[in-house]
Amino acid sequence: MRLAAFFSVTVAVAASNTSQDPFEQWHGPEAGHVRGPCPFLNTFANHGFLPRSGKYITQKDLADGLFNAVHFDANISHFLFDFAIATNPEPNATWFSLDHLSRHNVLEHDASLSRVDAFVGHADVFNQQAFDETRSYWGDVVNVESGTASIIARMKTCKATDPTYSISELGQGFILGETAAFISILGDAQSITVDKRLVEYLFQNERLPTKLGWKRPSTPFTTDLLLGNLEKVRLEYNKQLK
């Protein structure tokens, strides 16, 4: 009896710890919740690292959420927050909601890796066809070269199919930065490589790929690392455009 009781308590404690682990606690958006064009921010809301509603996200919410989810340095979070609140139409806002990010040509841009252009449809909703084109340029491992090739391919497709296609300098910077970031966060930030399956899983499910063995990076993702990897993507982008 004592042995059975011991095992019962052990199992109950283990189950309790799992239930409290946000990496294992995934819930898709419910009625009244909002999501936006960024698969990563949507993912963090689905796990509860950001408010699950996707609404009223403060600077502290973003900094804490990105740190706990993917070990982002606070400086990056503050930098991103300053851009994000610019999408809130409310004057002097101190928060943003994920659907604010869908405002076209503020941060949201044409030639998304996983969304259609705003002219074509809803830029805040995952589009399988767009993402299939993106991932068709990847091998089993996504690196700077294949990641950049998919960016250019999406730009060419969108330019050919969207009569209102445009991309601002800021939008281009975000496209390149997004690729540098997803490779670095889900893969190896030093070699700038990532297993394609991890990227596909997150984009298509808006869920962290822990079931595939991914773990939160043990070292912080700093501003210097982000800018360094962004520069490598930018150089490759200019090279492939020639």
Side-chain angles (χ1 to χ4, degrees), residues 13-198:
V13 169
S16 175
N17 288 340
T18 298
S19 68
Q20 295 174 14
D21 181 0
F23 290 99
E24 301 303 325
Q25 286 297 295
W26 183 92
H27 302 289
E30 300 175 357
H33 291 181
V34 299
R35 294 295 184 263
C38 176
F40 273 86
L41 294 182
N42 292 345
T43 295
F44 300 151
N46 289 341
H47 280 277
F49 289 109
L50 295 177
R52 289 190 182 275
S53 67
K55 299 177 179 179
Y56 310 113
I57 300 168
T58 65
Q59 186 180 68
K60 186 177 187 306
D61 289 334
L62 190 66
D64 290 348
L66 268 58
F67 175 81
N68 292 327
V70 290
H71 211 160
F72 260 32
D73 180 275
N75 290 330
I76 298 179
S77 299
H78 294 164
F79 170 79
L80 294 175
F81 182 80
D82 288 342
F83 279 107
I85 57 171
T87 66
N88 185 339
E90 191 171 293
N92 304 313
T94 58
W95 54 271
F96 72 96
S97 296
L98 294 180
D99 58 340
H100 290 154
L101 302 177
S102 298
R103 292 179 61 199
H104 187 51
N105 275 345
V106 181
L107 295 183
E108 183 277 327
H109 50 76
D110 288 337
S112 165
L113 298 181
S114 61
R115 270 72 174 160
V116 296
D117 287 358
F119 175 82
V120 178
H122 296 288
D124 57 338
V125 177
F126 175 80
N127 181 274
Q128 190 66 57
Q129 184 176 352
F131 186 62
D132 284 346
E133 179 183 23
T134 294
R135 64 181 181 164
S136 70
Y137 288 84
W138 301 341
D140 292 338
V141 174
V142 188
N143 55 25
V144 171
E145 291 78 11
S146 61
T148 303
S150 66
I151 293 172
I152 293 174
R154 286 293 297 142
M155 286 180 169
K156 288 180 178 178
T157 294
C158 292
K159 189 174 183 179
T161 57
D162 175 1
T164 67
Y165 175 82
S166 66
I167 191 81
S168 66
E169 186 175 344
L170 177 62
Q172 180 178 304
F174 264 89
I175 291 174
L176 303 180
E178 288 157 5
T179 294
F182 82 67
I183 295 175
S184 301
I185 293 167
L186 296 177
D188 185 338
Q190 300 302 322
S191 64
I192 322 181
T193 56
V194 62
D195 184 332
K196 176 179 70 173
R197 297 174 305 146
L198 302 181

